[in-house]
């Protein structure tokens, strides 16, 4: 008879998964590992012949470099700021759109448009809008004294916050969408039971909606955290890390090392740090959320 | 047609959970066998093992004499009806019905003919162009049945096919399924947790619990001669009344000591060796609700108060709370649901053809038909007599 | 007569309109500047009214080979999307149906692959493409994008298949399908909206990417995103021209979104559970 059916099926599933696994490992795996190994070399593209092994020197240099340290802080600030705002606003919008009627359906469709604009273009648009001389937003802000005469993006104290706002503009609709889907999947009878039991709307929100929304919120937050940490496009075209490194994030720093200074060793070290940070962040987040998830499961 | 045979079949999951343990079961060709038991007893697993959807970890499964353990589902030529019907949502009813035939590349004419005759048999002609999403529960159930019938397979496997229907439809479909099976003569294995379905449809019933086969036999056999406490309590509605008591020697006879009463057993029972072995020992007595009579209160018999009455039209089910006697915790009611922990209770159920409507909490006497008692060992739970 | 429910509805709708205004105003502005003469764009203080002109569109056609750009973007997006769906979907199915906890870890592994920053990984890939001779062709970008997109597709389809009931596939197996037949004829049609949602994500990723495309293409295989970026740096290109170019870069995606937004919505919610 040959193999049993159970074994045959396992082979079948393995065969289905193999192409993707092999392809990803072959195409991306090699470069990823190679790229990672660069971080242990002193490797400059201008002088490729002088490439040699230096161990952890690149990482040590990063550790010592105040610009790099600032970039780390900025990146974390940006990530937490953006994700928190996007979550809060997204939840608000989702609650507004909870009812299912024609108005809300059209609104939802239109609301997704910011997410479709190329991040690059988003950056350009807001760079123009925030310009203090001719920008629709920047001019009034400067005139009213709410921003420095050079505009929000040129203000070292406000630039990062401005970028958080831009990121929020682009991604809040997506957050709202995910949370709205979570809201819509809530079992109606539990909510009705709570209402009959006398719970007010805020109470229902806090005691019933919030815990049940946890799984939806969880994955949305994790994905957004991972993406926000690697923000690049909008910063690149608006401030490019300035002014005075106020908006310098790890990604920008890394890209500059690689594409401006051609210091591949450093760029690779930055990349590794980014991946490690993301994994640590995700692990920490999961660890914090898990007890809550298990409690409400 | 096929005979199906389980020989020391077991299923242990990787995490250690044992779903089926040492199952020995022979299903005859053309037979309607019902696998019944509470949820988690392994009946669905056993069914899926026949279909090939569940791998067998121990033992041998034979279909039509051939070892089937390693065969894929498609090699076994069995048709399965799922509890959720599992209709193909993107295909029309007609396409659903004809799917298995088309997969085996049967000629179009044959497919159309078979689909047509099956649709006629189940009154689905008007629905052939619709999708499952547009059908009612009952209609979907018929399509699921049609899908199996159209194939003329070696065996039908049915996994609780009626549990999603309303009570009335369920009653109708029970008859329908039994009738179709008899007409087709195809070996059928039917899984349910509803013992009424088991009793009314089966040629033979196999009662399972916690992965172990408890008893196999014709419905009447299980009803009249349950082999252990579980089967006794599981089969029959309203369920068997169980009382804990003791047997005492009284001169030449044996007396049954019950909560609040002592009953002299008839000569036939007093002479049975099996019972005599339990002299001066605890014993569990089972008595069917229809083997109990309500009388006016008597001095020396069981007595209680009427707790509740259910007037079902053709008969009256009365729930009595026994009173009196030192052993108030007398009755055992085994909870046949998720937990099988005996729960002490003092309630008895009586099922009478007619009955005077008794007012609540009226004191009544309870008389047991001594010819129709079941006896069980309290420790092993096995039937004694 | 004061109607509390009616008032609440009105207030809610007003809030929604306010949110929409914030969400759409920049987009409207983006499209508007394409029709503004350059002088008006930089007018200080900014003007709302202007006399429209087609000049910017004319200069787009003058400076850029628009059709070539769109062609490149389209081919890269379509190519990587199709390939990613082709290899990613079966893998997602296999992970969903494999009854082992390792499968979930593997799914997460695919998700994490996408987070690796491109900077250092680009160089080995660049060198590899050069050695094979594919550098500067669409293939180089497609090959790389497929690796990243398929990882995402595996994750998405894994979620979709996990949510689909296995019982219909089991029914297909007992009905006589082979494992592969059950996958193709029964499982795939059931997750149709998941496939569309995955495709949308892939198209958006490839279309919007400029980093990889910039490095791996030549002048004649550039995508529109790369053109946008390089245009931004050039002194000759005005904001108006950029706005006009952004039309062509953004509109296809916006239209796709509006048409298929139902699947996009479903795609996100599935990925969540």
């Amino acid at each position: 008879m040959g193999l049993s059916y159970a074994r045959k099926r396992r082979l079948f599933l393995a065969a289905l998964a193999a192409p993707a696994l092999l392809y990803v490992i072959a195409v991306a795996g090699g470069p990823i590992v190679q790229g990672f190994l660069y971080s242990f070399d002193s490797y400059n593209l201008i002088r490729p012949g002088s490439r040699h092994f230096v161990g952890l020197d690149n990482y040590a240099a990063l550790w010592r470099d105040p610009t790099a340290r600032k970039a780390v802080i900025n990146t974390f600030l940006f990530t937490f700021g953006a994700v928190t705002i996007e979550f809060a606003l997204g939840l608000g919008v989702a609650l507004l759109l909870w009812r299912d009627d024609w108005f809300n359906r059209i609104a939802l469709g239109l609301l997704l448009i910011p997410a479709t604009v190329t991040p690059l273009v988003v950056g350009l648009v807001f760079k123009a809008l925030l310009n203090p001389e001719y920008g629709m937003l920047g001019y009034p802000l400067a005139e009213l004294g709410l921003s420095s005469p050079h505009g929000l993006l040129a203000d070292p104290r406000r630039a990062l916050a401005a970028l958080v706002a831009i990121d929020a503009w682009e991604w809040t609709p997506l957050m709202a969408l995910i949370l709205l889907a979570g809201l819509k999947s809530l079992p109606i009878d539990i909510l009705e039971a709570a209402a009959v039991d006398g719970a007010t709307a805020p109470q229902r929100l806090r005691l019933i909606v919030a815990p049940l929304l946890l799984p939806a919120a969880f994955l949305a937050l994790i994905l957004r955290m991972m993406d926000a940490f690697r923000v690049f496009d909008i910063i690149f075209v608006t401030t490019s890390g300035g002014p005075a490194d106020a908006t310098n994030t790890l990604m920008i720093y890394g890209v500059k090392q690689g594409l401006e200074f051609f210091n591949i060793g450093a760029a690779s070290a930055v990349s590794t740090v980014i991946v490690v940070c993301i994994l640590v962040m995700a692990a920490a987040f999961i660890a914090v959320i898990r007890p809550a998830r298990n409690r409400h499961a | 047609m096929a005979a199906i045979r389980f020989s020391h079949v077991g299923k242990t999951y990787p995490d250690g959970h044992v779903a089926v343990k040492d199952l020995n079961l022979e299903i005859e060709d053309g037979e309607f066998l019902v696998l019944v038991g509470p949820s988690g007893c392994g009946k669905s697993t056993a069914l899926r093992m026949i279909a090939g959807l569940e791998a067998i970890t121990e033992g041998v499964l034979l279909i039509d004499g051939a070892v089937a353990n390693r065969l894929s589902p498609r090699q076994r030529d069995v048709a399965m009806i799922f509890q959720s019907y599992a209709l193909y949502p993107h295909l029309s009813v007609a396409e659903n019905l004809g799917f298995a035939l088309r997969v085996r590349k049967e000629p179009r004419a044959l497919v159309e003919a078979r689909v047509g005759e099956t649709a006629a048999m189940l009154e689905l002609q008007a629905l052939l162009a619709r999708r499952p999403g547009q059908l009612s529960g009952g209609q979907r159930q018929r399509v699921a049945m049609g899908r199996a019938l159209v194939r003329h397979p070696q065996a039908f496997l049915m996994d609780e096919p009626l549990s999603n229907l309303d009570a009335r439809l369920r009653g109708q479909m029970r008859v329908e399924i039994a009738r179709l099976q008899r007409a087709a003569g195809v070996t059928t294995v039917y899984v349910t947790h509803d013992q009424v379905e088991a009793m009314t449809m089966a040629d033979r019933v196999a009662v399972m619990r916690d992965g172990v086969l408890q008893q196999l036999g014709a419905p009447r056999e299980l009803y009249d001669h349950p082999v252990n406490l579980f089967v006794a309590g599981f089969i029959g509605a309203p369920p068997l009344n169980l009382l804990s008591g003791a047997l005492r020697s009284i001169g030449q006879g044996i007396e049954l000591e019950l909560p609040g009463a002592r009953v002299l057993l008839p000569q036939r029972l007093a002479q049975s060796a099996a019972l005599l072995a339990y002299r001066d020992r605890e014993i569990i007595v089972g008595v069917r609700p229809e083997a109990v009579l309500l009388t006016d209160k008597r001095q020396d018999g069981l007595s209680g108060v009427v707790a509740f009455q259910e007037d079902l039209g053709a008969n009256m089910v009365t729930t009595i709370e026994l009173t009196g006697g030192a052993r108030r915790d007398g009755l055992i009611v085994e909870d046949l649901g998720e937990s099988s922990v005996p729960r002490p209770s003092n309630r008895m159920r009586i099922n009478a053809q007619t009955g005077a409507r008794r007012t609540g909490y009226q004191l009544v006497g309870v008389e047991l038909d001594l010819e129709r008692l079941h006896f069980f060992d309290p420790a092993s739970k096995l039937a004694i007599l | 007569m004061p109607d509390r429910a009616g008032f609440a509805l009105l207030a809610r709708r007003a809030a929604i309109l306010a949110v929409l205004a914030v969400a759409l105003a920049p987009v409207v502005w983006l499209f508007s500047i394409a029709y503004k003469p350059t002088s008006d764009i930089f007018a200080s203080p900014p003007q709302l009214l202007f006399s429209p002109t087609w000049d910017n569109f004319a200069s787009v056609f003058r400076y850029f080979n628009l059709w070539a750009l769109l062609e490149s973007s389209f081919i890269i997006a379509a190519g990587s999307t199709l390939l990613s769906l082709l290899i990613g979907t079966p893998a997602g199915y296999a992970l969903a149906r494999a009854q082992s906890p390792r499968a979930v870890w593997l799914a997460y592994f695919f998700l994490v692959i996408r987070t690796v920053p491109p900077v250092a990984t680009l160089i080995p890939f660049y060198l590899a493409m050069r050695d094979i001779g594919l550098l500067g062709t669409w293939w180089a970008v497609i090959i790389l994008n497929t690796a990243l997109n398929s990882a995402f597709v595996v994750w998405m389809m894994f979620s979709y298949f996990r949510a689909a009931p296995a019982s219909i596939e089991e029914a297909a197996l007992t009905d006589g399908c082979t494992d592969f037949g059950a996958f193709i004829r029964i499982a795939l049609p059931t997750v149709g909206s998941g496939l569309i949602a995955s495709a949308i994500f892939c198209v958006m990723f490839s279309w919007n990417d400029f980093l990889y495309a910039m490095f791996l293409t030549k002048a004649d295989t550039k995508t529109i995103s790369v053109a946008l970026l390089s245009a931004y740096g050039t002194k000759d290109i005005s904001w108006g021209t950029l706005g006009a170019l952004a039309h062509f870069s953004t509109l296809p995606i916006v239209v796709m979104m509006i048409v298929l937004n139902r699947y996009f919505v479903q795609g996100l919610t599935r990925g969540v559970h």
Side-chain angles (χ1 to χ4, degrees):
Chain A
M1 185 74 256
L3 296 168
S4 71
Y5 171 64
R7 182 120 325 139
K8 279 201 201 131
R9 182 160 174 90
R10 276 202 291 272
L11 280 177
F12 164 72
L13 292 179
L16 282 188
L21 198 58
L22 293 174
Y23 185 91
V24 169
I25 291 180
V27 173
I32 290 179
V33 170
Q34 268 270 56
F36 170 64
L37 290 176
Y38 286 155
S39 68
F40 300 114
D41 291 345
S42 165
Y43 180 16
N44 196 305
L45 274 182
I46 306 179
R47 294 174 262 114
S50 71
R51 172 179 164 196
H52 59 279
F53 181 78
V54 291
L56 292 172
D57 279 3
N58 284 318
Y59 292 97
L62 267 184
W63 182 257
R64 285 193 300 264
D65 183 356
T67 317
R69 282 207 292 273
K70 180 133 207 248
V72 171
I73 296 177
N74 284 343
T75 312
F76 275 102
L77 278 178
F78 179 87
T79 304
F80 289 134
V83 176
T84 312
I85 292 182
E86 283 156 26
F87 184 75
L89 288 180
L91 189 58
V93 172
L95 288 171
L96 281 177
L97 290 174
W98 197 350
R99 201 149 313 217
D100 189 29
D101 55 30
W102 65 269
F103 188 86
N104 286 350
R105 258 174 295 182
I106 296 183
L108 191 58
L110 292 174
L111 205 59
L112 291 176
I113 291 183
T116 69
V117 183
T118 315
L120 198 63
V121 174
V122 172
L124 291 176
V125 166
F126 276 96
K127 180 166 181 153
L129 283 176
L130 287 174
N131 184 295
E133 279 156 41
Y134 52 81
M136 296 273 177
L137 291 174
Y139 182 79
L141 282 175
E143 282 295 294
L144 294 172
L146 288 171
S147 86
S148 88
H150 299 291
L152 276 178
L153 291 174
D155 182 348
R157 282 169 307 150
R158 304 275 188 78
L160 197 64
L163 285 167
V164 169
I166 297 175
D167 195 79
W169 176 87
E170 183 168 13
W171 296 114
T172 300
L174 217 62
M175 272 295 222
L177 193 64
I178 298 179
L179 293 171
L180 182 61
L183 283 176
K184 289 212 172 152
S185 70
L186 293 181
I188 304 195
D189 38 6
I190 299 189
L191 291 165
E192 287 176 346
V196 166
D197 276 348
T200 64
Q203 278 176 323
R204 290 203 299 274
L205 211 69
R206 189 167 49 90
L207 297 169
I208 301 191
V209 173
L212 288 177
L213 209 51
L214 218 52
F218 170 70
L219 203 57
L221 283 173
I222 260 207
L223 287 177
R224 198 72 271 285
M225 271 201 311
M226 282 166 40
D227 282 349
F229 201 85
R230 296 175 303 132
V231 65
F232 180 74
D233 298 25
I234 46 177
I235 304 188
F236 186 64
V237 297
T238 51
T239 60
S240 208
D245 290 332
T247 59
N248 200 8
T249 64
L250 278 174
M251 269 300 263
I252 300 270
Y253 181 79
V255 172
K256 275 203 186 147
Q257 287 290 323
L259 303 184
E260 255 178 66
F261 304 125
F262 298 107
N263 187 347
I264 302 302
S268 167
V270 174
S271 293
T272 312
V273 169
I274 291 180
V275 174
V276 170
C277 282
I278 290 183
L279 290 176
V280 167
M281 222 175 32
F285 185 64
I286 295 178
V288 164
I289 293 293
R290 177 165 300 192
R293 275 181 103 181
N294 290 344
R295 212 168 355 115
H296 293 296
Chain B
M1 308 311 146
I4 300 173
R5 179 146 157 240
F6 287 85
S7 177
H8 298 287
V9 170
K11 167 88 191 179
T12 310
Y13 284 101
D15 63 1
H17 171 61
V18 180
V20 173
K21 197 153 57 170
D22 196 30
L23 180 62
N24 291 291
L25 179 61
E26 194 151 339
I27 304 168
E28 283 157 42
D29 187 11
E31 175 178 20
F32 193 121
L33 180 98
V34 175
L35 285 170
V36 72
S39 51
C41 69
K43 55 192 192 294
S44 285
T45 312
L47 193 75
R48 288 163 61 88
M49 287 199 279
I50 304 177
L53 296 170
E54 208 73 59
I56 299 175
T57 52
E58 294 110 32
V60 175
L61 173 73
L62 294 145
I63 299 181
D64 219 12
V67 174
N69 291 39
R70 301 164 78 87
L71 295 180
S72 68
R74 80 192 281 255
Q75 291 168 309
R76 303 186 186 205
D77 195 26
V78 294
M80 183 143 168
I81 302 180
F82 294 80
Q83 186 176 3
S84 65
Y85 311 141
L87 299 181
Y88 308 124
H90 58 295
L91 300 178
S92 70
V93 168
E95 288 166 336
N96 262 278
L97 290 175
F99 184 77
L101 297 173
R102 284 202 312 276
V103 160
R104 289 172 212 267
K105 309 241 187 350
E106 300 280 2
R108 174 115 73 90
L110 179 74
V111 176
E112 279 175 12
R114 289 258 196 105
V115 169
E117 89 190 9
T118 309
M121 208 190 330
L122 293 166
E123 289 172 38
L124 292 168
Q125 303 101 311
L127 305 170
L128 284 175
R130 297 220 199 140
R131 296 267 176 102
Q134 299 163 303
L135 301 176
S136 74
Q139 290 167 335
R140 266 186 251 153
Q141 206 271 341
R142 294 211 303 277
V143 176
M145 293 214 49
R147 213 169 49 171
L149 285 170
V150 91
R151 288 176 49 187
H152 302 191
Q154 288 207 71
F156 287 133
L157 305 176
M158 305 193 191
D159 192 352
E160 309 210 40
L162 302 182
S163 57
N164 293 343
L165 300 176
D166 64 65
R168 183 153 207 185
L169 209 49
R170 223 181 300 158
Q172 286 175 349
M173 287 310 295
R174 277 209 310 260
V175 177
E176 219 20 61
I177 291 180
R179 195 181 60 77
L180 282 167
Q181 192 270 344
R182 217 139 286 166
V186 175
T187 314
T188 302
V189 185
Y190 185 103
V191 160
T192 179
H193 62 274
D194 181 352
Q195 55 96 35
V196 174
E197 281 174 18
M199 300 295 280
T200 56
M201 298 169 82
D203 289 332
R204 281 195 299 166
V205 176
V207 179
M208 288 186 71
R209 185 203 195 190
D210 289 336
V212 179
L213 178 65
Q214 304 289 308
Q215 188 171 359
L216 171 67
R220 200 72 230 182
E221 177 74 17
L222 266 60
Y223 190 81
D224 290 336
H225 303 289
V227 87
N228 65 22
L229 208 59
F230 176 77
V231 175
F234 188 80
I235 301 286
L240 187 76
N241 293 301
L242 293 165
L243 301 113
S244 70
L247 290 178
R248 302 266 177 248
S249 299
I250 295 279
Q252 290 290 64
I254 299 188
E255 192 176 66
L256 176 62
E257 199 179 84
L258 288 175
R262 303 173 92 91
V263 181
L264 190 63
L265 291 179
Q267 200 61 350
R268 173 181 70 84
L269 291 176
Q271 282 169 347
S272 105
L275 274 187
L276 284 171
Y278 280 82
R279 255 177 321 186
D280 296 321
R281 281 167 69 178
E282 309 241 324
I283 201 166
I284 296 178
V285 177
V287 58
R288 295 273 175 208
E290 65 271 16
V292 184
L293 260 178
L294 277 184
T295 64
D296 301 314
K297 178 159 174 23
R298 289 229 294 260
Q299 248 349 41
D300 52 349
L302 282 176
S303 60
V305 292
V306 174
F308 191 65
Q309 281 203 310
E310 296 162 273
D311 189 343
L312 300 172
N315 49 351
M316 177 93 77
V317 177
T318 311
T319 304
I320 304 285
E321 277 174 10
L322 292 180
T323 58
R327 301 162 69 131
R328 291 301 304 288
D329 56 341
L331 280 179
I332 308 141
V333 175
E334 268 215 350
D335 191 354
L336 297 166
E338 304 313 307
S339 65
S340 315
V341 176
R343 223 182 24 192
S345 149
N346 60 350
R347 290 194 174 176
M348 264 185 87
R349 269 194 211 79
I350 296 162
N351 192 353
Q353 289 277 316
T354 56
R357 216 157 196 324
R358 310 254 176 181
T359 55
Y361 292 100
Q362 189 181 54
L363 266 179
V364 289
V366 174
E367 193 179 301
L368 308 174
D369 183 343
L370 299 175
E371 293 299 328
R372 285 148 77 178
L373 293 176
H374 301 262
F375 294 91
F376 300 94
D377 180 312
S380 72
K381 312 281 203 297
L382 292 174
I384 301 168
L385 197 63
Chain C
M1 175 189 71
D3 181 347
R4 179 163 297 164
F7 179 71
L9 184 66
L10 206 63
R12 211 179 305 126
R13 290 200 171 168
I16 294 174
L17 283 175
V19 171
L20 275 179
V22 171
L24 295 178
V27 182
V28 170
W29 180 86
L30 171 66
F31 288 136
S32 74
I33 61 171
Y35 308 97
K36 274 187 183 179
T38 310
S39 50
D40 279 356
I41 300 179
F42 293 112
S44 175
Q47 311 279 18
L48 271 177
L49 299 167
F50 57 94
S51 42
T53 167
W54 292 108
D55 284 351
N56 294 316
F57 283 97
S59 70
V60 163
F61 285 107
R62 205 170 350 128
Y63 280 112
F64 301 101
N65 184 349
L66 192 62
W67 305 119
L69 290 174
L70 284 174
E71 185 191 30
S72 295
S73 285
F74 178 75
I75 290 187
I76 288 177
S80 79
T81 301
L82 284 170
L83 278 177
S84 302
L85 286 177
L86 200 63
I87 63 174
T89 309
Y93 175 75
L95 291 179
R97 290 291 173 248
Q99 281 140 344
S100 109
R102 262 173 302 151
V104 184
W105 286 111
L106 213 54
Y108 277 107
F109 164 76
F110 278 109
L111 188 65
V112 166
I113 286 276
R114 284 186 85 238
T115 69
V116 177
V119 182
T121 62
L122 253 182
I123 299 190
F125 193 75
Y126 178 92
L127 294 173
M129 287 296 110
R130 188 191 59 185
D131 293 341
I132 314 180
L134 282 176
L135 196 61
T137 67
W138 291 315
W139 279 112
V141 189
I142 292 180
I143 291 178
L144 187 58
N145 274 8
T146 302
L148 298 170
N149 276 338
S150 61
F152 187 74
V153 170
V154 171
W155 167 259
M156 276 282 274
M157 297 317 297
F158 167 72
S159 307
Y160 260 87
F161 281 120
R162 231 188 351 180
S167 55
I168 25 177
E169 289 160 50
E170 289 178 342
L173 288 175
T174 54
D175 270 354
C177 276
T178 58
D179 292 307
F180 188 68
F183 168 60
I184 295 285
R185 297 168 90 132
I186 301 297
L188 269 187
T190 318
V191 292
S193 55
L195 290 171
I196 295 188
S198 299
I200 292 177
F201 275 103
C202 288
V203 167
M204 276 181 59
F205 175 77
S206 293
W207 188 276
N208 290 340
D209 159 68
F210 69 86
L211 202 59
Y212 296 115
M214 190 162 70
F215 272 88
L216 299 170
T217 58
K218 291 198 308 269
D220 58 350
T221 52
K222 257 191 329 182
T223 66
I224 199 166
S225 301
V226 177
L228 261 173
L229 184 63
S230 60
Y232 165 63
T234 314
K235 297 289 192 280
D236 295 332
I237 310 295
S238 67
W239 272 107
T241 315
L242 264 176
L245 190 59
H247 265 69
F248 296 103
S249 152
T250 312
L251 268 178
I253 305 290
V254 171
V255 167
M256 181 185 73
M257 276 295 294
I258 293 184
V259 166
L260 297 174
N261 99 54
R262 191 162 34 117
Y263 301 100
F264 193 64
V265 171
Q266 281 191 25
L268 290 166
T269 70
R270 273 290 171 269
V272 156
H273 301 294

